[in-house]
Amino acid sequence: MLRKSIMGGNWKMNKSLQEATEFTKKLISELGTYRDVETVIFPPFPYLKMISSLLGETDVALGAQNMFWEEKGAYTGEVSPLMLMDVGCRYVILGHSERRQYFGETDEGINKKIKAALKFQLTPLVCVGEKLEERKKGLAKEIVKSQLTKCFTGINSSEVPQIVIAYEPVWAIGTGETATPKQAQDMHQFIREILQEIFDKKTANLVRVQYGGSVKPDNIKELMQEPDIDGALVGGASLDVDSFIKIVKYGEF
Ligand code: PEP
């Protein structure tokens, strides 16, 4: 298999400690030794250590929803890559559209974060995607190309296969409106073309590209049938453990 599928559950700012514990225990009982698909959950920061202890050596991995690029220092409210490593994270979401929209994140900042994540062997899951107005104006590909070019500046081609890209059209996030498999495939193929332009064909073929935007148990299967879709980053539907398990095990339903 050229690229192993990867499913991520981004909880965003949701769940109590008790809900997080119950979710994780059930997830482990169903997916603790499931290796067909790489499974990662992204709980809020305060729960990471506790969930890391629960996950232990299971096949479910842990990630954070964001981090800062510096290792330590006077950056009130920020969390460093070293801290994430210390509590057992192996992945980090970078450049989610909600971070771009509400917290002013830029491609330049995301680029620094990708470099910092790679330095500490955290797998960055880099989000790109156009807004509705941009798609309506026919600018979707231009926007995604510009985001990718800026986010990948100065990154060595040997490091690129460690990065996961999530194509998340902003108009499909939390709206219930999913890109059609054809629309998603078209952009995923384009993303690979851009990676080939920036790096080379071999590198482009090794990078996993997830789709994100209102993924649910009933639409995952057809999305995964597309050749350039290597998994999903799931928000809303990842909050319910049964629905997330169905998404991860899409091949069995
Ligand atoms: C997300 O926030 O990454 C996401 C894809 O959300 P949702 O699945 O709720 O659209």
Side-chain angles (χ1 to χ4, degrees):
M1 197 186 337
L2 183 60
R3 301 183 295 265
K4 184 169 183 176
S5 303
I6 173 167
M7 299 292 182
N10 174 14
W11 295 4
K12 311 192 184 187
M13 198 172 71
N14 291 295
K15 291 196 188 295
S16 65
L17 185 58
Q18 189 182 339
E19 287 165 346
T21 308
E22 284 164 11
F23 180 107
T24 308
K25 286 184 177 165
K26 173 115 195 242
L27 194 69
I28 293 169
S29 73
E30 297 280 338
L31 297 178
T33 55
Y34 190 72
R35 296 200 172 150
D36 294 6
V37 169
E38 210 167 306
T39 309
V40 194
I41 51 172
F42 297 89
F45 288 131
Y47 307 150
L48 289 175
K49 180 72 187 101
M50 181 277 293
I51 292 180
S52 168
S53 305
L54 286 176
L55 292 176
E57 300 300 308
T58 67
D59 286 309
V60 178
L62 185 66
Q65 298 172 20
N66 180 34
M67 64 166 212
F68 192 47
W69 57 75
E70 293 289 351
E71 290 170 37
K72 61 178 180 175
Y75 304 103
T76 304
E78 290 297 329
V79 167
S80 85
L82 281 175
M83 294 170 184
L84 296 184
M85 293 295 288
D86 233 2
V87 296
C89 288
R90 282 176 33 221
Y91 296 80
V92 61
I93 298 176
L94 298 177
H96 191 280
S97 63
E98 286 152 15
R99 302 263 355 138
R100 293 172 186 262
Q101 183 182 351
Y102 302 125
F103 304 98
E105 292 214 9
T106 62
D107 292 316
E108 290 71 20
I110 296 160
N111 174 251
K112 288 187 191 174
K113 291 183 179 192
I114 297 172
K115 289 175 178 162
L118 291 170
K119 181 171 169 197
F120 294 102
Q121 276 98 47
L122 278 166
T123 296
L125 209 150
V126 181
C127 301
V128 294
E130 80 286 359
K131 299 188 186 115
L132 184 58
E133 316 83 81
E134 293 163 343
R135 177 159 282 260
K136 281 186 176 159
K137 285 186 195 151
L139 297 174
K141 287 188 174 165
E142 202 176 303
I143 294 293
V144 169
K145 180 174 182 175
S146 154
Q147 290 172 335
L148 281 174
T149 309
K150 290 179 188 159
C151 286
F152 281 79
T153 297
I155 291 173
N156 199 299
S157 65
S158 65
E159 298 176 303
V160 180
Q162 295 169 50
I163 301 172
V164 177
I165 295 172
Y167 168 57
E168 300 210 307
V170 180
W171 47 272
I173 296 184
T175 57
E177 194 173 334
T178 326
T180 62
K182 194 181 164 304
Q183 278 174 322
Q185 166 58 27
D186 184 45
M187 188 61 91
H188 283 227
Q189 192 182 333
F190 177 71
I191 288 172
R192 246 179 258 292
E193 282 163 24
I194 299 305
L195 292 174
Q196 185 174 336
E197 256 176 49
I198 307 176
F199 303 102
D200 54 75
K201 190 170 180 156
K202 184 166 165 251
T203 306
N205 280 332
L206 286 172
V207 175
R208 291 178 294 174
V209 187
Q210 294 178 307
Y211 168 76
S214 299
V215 169
K216 299 178 211 71
D218 61 9
N219 60 22
I220 184 67
K221 206 167 180 169
E222 50 173 359
L223 285 161
M224 290 302 289
Q225 273 158 6
E226 297 295 337
D228 288 298
I229 300 183
D230 306 312
L233 183 56
V234 189
S238 77
L239 292 173
D240 177 79
V241 68
D242 294 319
S243 117
F244 186 56
I245 290 164
K246 280 188 185 148
I247 291 171
V248 174
K249 290 187 162 177
Y250 67 95
E252 298 179 20
F253 290 92

